[in-house]
Every structure is written in C-alpha cells, then in structure tokens.
Amino acid sequence: MFHKTVTLQPFADISMYTEGFKIVSAQLGGDGCVYVLLINQIPVRKRGMFVQPALKQPHTYKVLMVESQHYIDEITFPDQHFNYHYVQPLRRHLLLVGARCSYYGAGKYDLNAKVCDYTGRTVREFLLGDGIQNVQVTEKGTIWTSYFDEGVFGNNGWDQPVGEHGLVAWDEHGNKLYEDHVSNIADCYALNVVREEQVWFYYYTDFLLGCISGGPGQPKVTFLNPEISGSAGFCTDGYHFLFDGGYGKHGEYVIKKLEQSSLTKGHKIQFLNEKSEPLVPVTQDFREDLVLFCADDMLYQVSVSELV
C-alpha cells in the first residue's frame, strides 16, 4: 500500500490558555470553529477504571472557541459538579455533554447535557443517555449522539438504555427525533455529521459505514464496506475518505476513494508536525471533510482534498 507523508503547520497555539488546566477534548463545530474543553483537574476514575458521572468536589471548566490564532474566545464555568467530556455550539449557546450518567429509579437519573449561554450561565439541562461515544450538533441545532457498548447494552443502573440503538438525533431541548433501527449497532465507533441531510457513522459489529440522507425527519440509510476493522474516526468530502487505521493501527491513517459504489484499497498517510516529527495527538476529531489534531497545546487541521 502506497505511503505518503504529510507535514502539518499549527493554525493555533492555545498554550497561553491552558496553564492550570488539562485538555479534555477538542472538537470541530458545525460553524467552522474549533471548541476546546478544559478542566482544572482530571477527575479520579471510580474503582480505577470507570468514569464517574458526578464529581465529589467542584471543578472548573473552560471552553475555548477558536476561529484562528488571532481570534480565541474563552468562557469559564466554575463550581461544576458533573463530569463533562464534549462541547459543541448549539445555536447561540454552548452544549456541554458528559459521556456517563446513572439511573437511580423511576424518573431519577443524571442530566448529562447542559446548555449554557456565552456568559457561562446554565439555560437548561436534559438527558442524552449513558455511554456516549461522540456528540455533534448541526447548524440548525439537531444534536447527534453515538454510543459505545455500555450505552447500548446498559450499565450504571440502565436496564433499558437511552442509546440502545447506538445512534440518536435530538432537538435542542433533548426530545428524540430519530434513532437507528436499520443497523445492528453494538458499538458506534465513529460519527461524522456533515450537514442536516447527511450523517455518516461507522459501527461494530459489521464494520460498515452508514450514511443517513434526508435528515432525521425522512431518513434513508445506505451502507459501504470500508474494509477496516475498528477505526476510531473518519472524515469525507463525499468521494474521498480518511480513516483512522483501526485495531492495532490507531495513529495511522488510510485514505480511500469512492468508485462504483465501493471504496478503493487506498494508501497510508503519516502526519508530521512542523518539526517534521511524527504527530502524536492528545485528542483528535473528524467532522465533514476535516480532521483536527491537538498536540502539545497546538491545533492542527487538514482537509481530505489536501491529501489527494
């Protein structure tokens, strides 16, 4: 398989904003900005392995809204008692989402989605379910959530999990608009919300790439076989697809092309930083035709079209 090396230059240095904080995630928004979630101290994992929904002590979060090196906004959220992992723009607000939430009994459960305004004030909270793998929001405010196996089969008290079908769309108030009944999702490894009428996902056990067209109101689902097992993410311009390499190959990347309703074998891509060293991201995100890397307090992004 042909191997190509690509050197990336950072488009933003966020080091002046990270002092005293740890990076939780960096995500691409549907508005073209990058959203970085930081916390003043990484919460201790319960029993050494499970992420806890609630925090025993209050933590401070910070969200960076990065348009460019010269335009970075920051919003601080002090005295927070929930463990958040994702941040997305939601119309004129911000959406913070925790990957885990517990069920305590009839009508009693954690609300793991918080909508805030740009001053940090909480507008509303609602449930998006336990075991969330990824969250992406469209410009119109449709919230898409994908779920890993514990969110599909149940844990943390959930006998009938909210995410039992592996992929759900919600309105901005947390009302379900769509859930997948076509695919057999045991674990939705990757999600890419291109626009309201085009949502891609990749899942275990079939390792198929699904595409939902028509939006949550009139969904039509089609499938491609990318011939990759265990990919953690992908981006696409509709014709070219860049995949994380999959099991045992995370950190390697493969680019493939759509030809006659199937994907080519493709070729490997290796990313280097501005020092011509292998790029080792702390976190990465795939959205539309872009992949975003965060490494050493630097943000890098590249589009599929730049790689072909």
Side-chain angles (χ1 to χ4, degrees):
M1 186 182 288
F2 175 71
H3 192 285
K4 182 179 180 180
T5 301
V6 176
T7 301
L8 300 180
Q9 300 294 325
F11 73 90
D13 178 351
I14 60 172
S15 58
M16 67 179 293
Y17 300 93
T18 60
E19 186 175 350
F21 285 81
K22 302 287 186 182
I23 294 171
V24 178
S25 62
Q27 292 181 263
L28 294 155
D31 57 359
C33 291
V34 171
Y35 292 80
V36 184
L37 180 63
L38 305 108
I39 191 170
N40 64 329
Q41 183 182 354
I42 298 294
V44 176
R45 288 186 173 230
K46 189 167 65 175
R47 296 194 298 276
M49 58 185 297
F50 295 112
V51 175
Q52 57 187 358
L55 302 173
K56 291 183 179 179
Q57 298 176 344
H59 284 59
T60 298
Y61 287 92
K62 187 158 65 171
V63 172
L64 304 182
M65 297 183 293
V66 185
E67 192 171 314
S68 69
Q69 178 63 62
H70 307 292
Y71 192 82
I72 301 176
D73 259 350
E74 63 177 323
I75 302 170
T76 303
F77 301 85
D79 198 33
Q80 297 297 313
H81 293 266
F82 204 81
N83 198 352
Y84 295 108
H85 303 90
Y86 310 103
V87 60
Q88 284 280 276
L90 180 64
R91 293 189 182 267
R92 295 182 181 179
H93 295 99
L94 291 175
L95 174 69
L96 298 177
V97 177
R100 308 310 303 259
C101 65
S102 295
Y103 180 85
Y104 305 104
K108 297 179 180 179
Y109 42 76
D110 295 318
L111 302 179
N112 59 328
K114 180 197 288 281
V115 179
C116 302
D117 64 19
Y118 288 141
T119 69
R121 181 182 66 89
T122 300
V123 176
R124 59 184 175 273
E125 294 179 289
F126 48 83
L127 172 71
L128 289 180
D130 185 44
I132 294 177
Q133 177 73 28
N134 208 337
V135 180
Q136 294 187 359
V137 180
T138 70
E139 281 195 276
K140 291 183 179 179
T142 303
I143 303 164
W144 285 87
T145 48
S146 62
Y147 299 82
F148 54 85
D149 52 359
E150 291 185 30
V152 173
F153 298 107
N155 200 350
N156 288 343
W158 294 95
D159 291 329
Q160 187 172 358
V162 173
E164 62 182 328
H165 296 289
L167 184 64
V168 181
W170 315 77
D171 70 14
E172 60 189 292
H173 295 278
N175 301 304
K176 273 189 183 181
L177 299 174
Y178 168 87
E179 57 186 2
D180 180 272
H181 289 275
V182 179
S183 322
N184 181 27
I185 300 175
D187 194 324
C188 194
Y189 282 7
L191 173 69
N192 189 334
V193 177
V194 175
R195 55 180 177 271
E196 197 74 29
E197 295 81 21
Q198 187 183 123
V199 176
W200 294 85
F201 61 100
Y202 169 85
Y203 64 97
Y204 177 82
T205 55
D206 295 329
F207 296 130
L208 291 178
L209 192 63
C211 181
I212 304 170
S213 57
Q218 295 179 308
K220 178 186 177 185
V221 186
T222 55
F223 297 97
L224 290 169
N225 188 347
E227 305 287 349
I228 294 178
S229 299
S231 177
F234 65 93
C235 57
T236 180
D237 61 4
Y239 299 99
H240 304 92
F241 293 77
L242 177 73
F243 291 91
D244 164 84
Y247 293 143
K249 298 179 181 178
H250 297 306
E252 298 180 14
Y253 302 87
V254 179
I255 190 162
K256 295 171 176 276
K257 186 178 180 181
L258 181 61
E259 289 183 353
Q260 298 178 342
S261 301
S262 64
L263 294 175
T264 60
K265 186 176 181 181
H267 60 267
K268 293 181 181 178
I269 300 278
Q270 181 184 23
F271 293 109
L272 305 178
N273 63 19
E274 69 278 14
K275 301 174 185 175
S276 297
E277 301 165 342
L279 184 61
V280 183
V282 174
T283 182
Q284 64 184 16
D285 190 43
F286 298 82
R287 182 77 185 261
E288 301 178 18
D289 62 342
L290 296 171
V291 57
L292 168 73
F293 299 113
C294 181
D296 298 322
D297 290 339
M298 298 287 188
L299 297 177
Y300 306 79
Q301 65 181 15
V302 63
S303 68
V304 176
S305 61
E306 295 175 75
L307 303 173
V308 295

